Amino acid sequence: MPNPSPPRAAALALSAAVLSTVLTGCSDNSKSEDLPAQKLSWKDCPAPAESEGGGNAPSPLPGGTQWQCATMKAPLDWADPKGDTIGIALIRARTSGDQSKRIGSLIFNFGGPGGSGVTTLPAFGEDYAKLRTRYDLVSFDPRGVGRSAGVKCEDDSRLDVFFQQDATPDDTAEQKNLLNTTKTFNAACEKNSGRTLPHVRTTDAARDIDLMRQVLGDAKLHYFGISYGTELGGVYAHLFPKKVGRAVFDAVVDPTQNPEQSALGQARGFQLALDNFATDCTSKTEPCPIGDTPQDVKNRIAKLLKDLDSKPIPGVFPRQLTQTEATNGIAQALYSKDFWEYLTEGLDQAYSGDGKVLMLLSDSMNGRSQNGQYSNLYAANVSINCADEKPRYTISDVQAGLPAFRAASPLFGDYLAWGMLSCTNWAVPGAADHPDVSATGAAPILVVGNTGDPATPYQGAKKMVDALGKGVGVEVTYKGQGHGAYDSGNKCVHNAVNGYLLDGTVPPAGTVCT
């Protein structure tokens, strides 16, 4: 399994809203015309499609503004820009402010990779009300995601089995089974989406964004990237430094790391979040139901996972909660402090033999709706990662790295180390060891790091600032918990981000928000 990577996966799955088949995003055989001059046909957004989680059409914003959707044509292969095209699904909410003060469109990417911006932006729309006073809020399904030529791999029933497999093998037989299951999944991706797989790299998505900028009528790109969205934004800045307008990176990916280093960093990050969760639970006035001390909490979780390895417990009927699903569910809950109460409840119930809450958290991470249908979140995540990342790891590589991973996190180390096998036998070679985000000459980019972030550890913010180049990255630190900073509601973070995006005021480098 890959790293727990869908940022805001809880929001993605719980809001579960994306466009239906009205937004055709599959590859087609039409040839590109003058793509920057294309006119978008904006319409009220329909209900989400099954591939993106189902649910209801996005509700209007306070004040009655409707979410509108359209499809932008982009080249399937940017090396052949006049060749076949694909559709890129877009969503927007028009500015609420005085049109004479409108800056342009503010384009969001919420990360993953594999996350649907078309579903996520409405889920967080009210959080960005201030920004909508001067921008149209815009997001999109990146290529390979949802309705934008969405990658297809295995069907729902096979995915149920896939996600319940033992992802932390203890012996040679279990290692072989994990490797074979991974190869089978990857072969299904090639069989069902082979034409698309070579064209879902982050560099391709960055070129789509520049086309989007032109189609939307903006001379510069105004951008808000979160988690993987910071990597995408960095790659854009590298390719088009003179086209960067006002940009913010939140929950920052370390662009200098290879996949193994990134996974090891996540092991440390999730362990830190678990430590903070355990301390929080046991430091309150009321008794913590899952342990008397922080170490007791962690010891009991470790015992639960060990027991589940050989004896799963009832989860969401008729499925059983396995060790893998429990670990996945715990990781999901650590993405946001808002979910710590559900983690406490889920663990408390699991100790009594009921694994439903932990399984629901795991389902959220994997993009599984309560009706048993999966979005293409996981398929897109693997496809984009494997197209981007050059290394292909073996069982021997994982075994060599296990001591370091276990030292970084007794709970998540094995899980993240074995996840490095995800790209084994992938049909498309990976592009590079890590992305190039050097962007000399770009306008200032606000880089916001959270000291308690489990998925994109805080140290990545400084690495991003350095990699962007002198005079580009401006670092802001938020001393908080969870994945990302802006949606924490912290006033200091809001002032820094809003001040730059709305008024062009660059905060002092090294600003610290508590």
Side-chain angles (χ1 to χ4, degrees):
M1 298 180 68
N3 300 347
S5 49
R8 312 207 183 170
L12 287 169
L14 295 176
S15 64
V18 175
L19 304 184
S20 73
T21 52
V22 173
L23 290 181
T24 51
C26 298
S27 302
D28 59 40
N29 293 317
S30 62
K31 299 295 181 179
S32 63
E33 302 162 1
D34 183 6
L35 293 179
Q38 66 183 288
K39 302 298 182 183
L40 300 179
S41 178
W42 292 100
K43 298 178 181 178
D44 288 351
C45 294
E50 174 187 325
S51 64
E52 296 176 329
N56 300 317
S59 300
L61 285 158
T65 297
Q66 294 281 351
W67 292 98
Q68 297 178 316
C69 291
T71 303
M72 180 187 77
K73 283 189 174 183
L76 169 65
D77 182 356
W78 272 103
D80 181 19
K82 295 188 179 301
D84 293 347
T85 63
I86 58 174
I88 304 296
L90 308 181
I91 189 167
R92 75 174 180 185
R94 301 303 299 270
T95 179
S96 62
D98 184 342
Q99 285 293 323
S100 66
K101 296 182 179 179
R102 177 182 176 274
I103 296 171
S105 294
L106 180 62
I107 298 177
F108 289 78
N109 181 276
F110 296 93
S116 163
V118 174
T119 62
T120 309
L121 182 57
F124 288 92
E126 292 186 41
D127 293 356
Y128 306 121
K130 186 74 173 178
L131 299 176
R132 196 164 69 88
T133 61
R134 299 198 69 190
Y135 291 98
D136 294 345
L137 305 184
V138 177
S139 194
F140 63 107
D141 288 356
R143 56 175 58 217
V145 177
R147 289 292 170 182
S148 297
V151 173
K152 296 180 178 66
C153 295
E154 293 188 325
D155 62 26
D156 294 337
S157 60
R158 292 184 66 86
L159 284 173
D160 272 346
V161 176
F162 179 83
F163 287 124
Q164 289 195 294
Q165 70 180 316
D166 190 340
T168 54
D170 302 309
D171 55 39
T172 302
E174 290 183 352
Q175 292 169 8
K176 184 177 180 180
N177 182 68
L178 176 62
L179 187 60
N180 288 339
T181 304
T182 301
K183 289 179 178 179
T184 299
F185 179 89
N186 292 352
C189 299
E190 181 180 10
K191 178 182 177 181
N192 294 318
S193 300
R195 184 169 182 255
T196 306
L197 297 185
H199 308 298
V200 296
R201 293 191 170 99
T202 298
T203 49
D204 297 315
R207 294 185 186 282
D208 291 342
I209 291 177
D210 196 58
L211 176 61
M212 200 179 306
R213 172 191 64 78
Q214 297 172 70
V215 171
L216 292 170
D218 289 339
K220 301 278 188 178
L221 175 74
H222 307 298
Y223 179 79
F224 199 136
I226 299 147
S227 196
Y228 162 78
T230 67
E231 179 180 326
L232 175 57
V235 170
Y236 179 92
H238 171 70
L239 293 174
F240 307 102
K242 298 300 184 182
K243 296 299 183 182
V244 175
R246 298 175 187 176
V248 172
F249 295 173
D250 185 5
V252 188
V253 169
D254 184 339
T256 69
Q257 294 181 327
N258 65 30
E260 181 174 7
Q261 293 167 332
S262 178
L264 187 59
Q266 282 200 326
R268 296 189 186 100
F270 277 96
Q271 186 63 44
L272 174 63
L274 182 69
D275 293 344
N276 292 337
F277 161 75
T279 299
D280 179 77
C281 187
T282 56
S283 64
K284 296 177 179 178
T285 304
E286 63 272 18
C288 175
I290 56 171
D292 297 326
T293 65
Q295 191 59 50
D296 185 37
V297 171
K298 291 181 283 186
N299 288 345
R300 292 188 69 189
I301 293 173
K303 183 179 185 304
L304 171 69
L305 295 179
K306 183 178 180 180
D307 291 345
L308 289 173
D309 192 27
S310 57
K311 189 178 180 181
I313 61 176
V316 177
F317 184 81
R319 294 175 297 147
Q320 299 279 302
L321 180 73
T322 62
Q323 181 192 55
T324 298
E325 295 252 43
T327 306
N328 203 42
I330 293 167
Q332 168 67 305
L334 293 175
Y335 270 91
S336 171
K337 193 172 182 179
D338 292 341
F339 289 96
W340 286 6
E341 63 179 294
Y342 301 118
L343 179 53
T344 301
E345 179 184 358
L347 290 168
D348 192 29
Q349 291 184 7
Y351 296 145
S352 300
D354 180 356
K356 184 176 182 180
V357 172
L358 289 183
M359 179 163 271
L360 287 172
L361 286 165
S362 181
D363 286 348
S364 173
M365 175 80 89
N366 295 329
R368 187 187 195 272
S369 63
Q370 292 189 31
N371 63 7
Q373 296 174 336
Y374 285 88
S375 70
N376 92 316
L377 177 64
Y378 182 84
N381 176 271
V382 174
S383 301
I384 296 167
N385 279 335
C386 295
D388 277 348
E389 298 170 354
K390 189 174 183 179
R392 298 292 186 253
Y393 297 103
T394 64
I395 288 176
S396 296
D397 294 328
V398 174
Q399 290 172 330
L402 275 173
F405 276 83
R406 288 168 176 165
S409 175
L411 185 70
F412 296 106
D414 281 54
Y415 174 73
L416 288 162
W418 287 106
M420 294 192 301
L421 294 179
S422 295
C423 295
T424 299
N425 280 45
W426 191 252
V428 176
D433 288 334
H434 57 81
D436 190 344
V437 300
S438 57
T440 301
I445 296 173
L446 208 58
V447 179
V448 188
N450 181 349
T451 58
D453 197 315
T456 50
Y458 169 66
Q459 294 77 9
K462 178 63 163 63
K463 295 292 185 65
M464 178 65 81
V465 168
D466 291 343
L468 287 169
K470 187 175 180 180
V472 179
V474 179
E475 186 174 6
V476 172
T477 294
Y478 169 53
K479 292 187 175 180
Q481 301 296 331
H483 190 40
Y486 189 86
D487 283 328
S488 70
N490 181 270
K491 186 175 181 180
C492 170
V493 173
H494 275 211
N495 288 342
V497 171
N498 294 348
Y500 183 47
L501 290 177
L502 296 173
D503 303 319
T505 303
V506 180
T511 294
V512 177
C513 296
T514 57

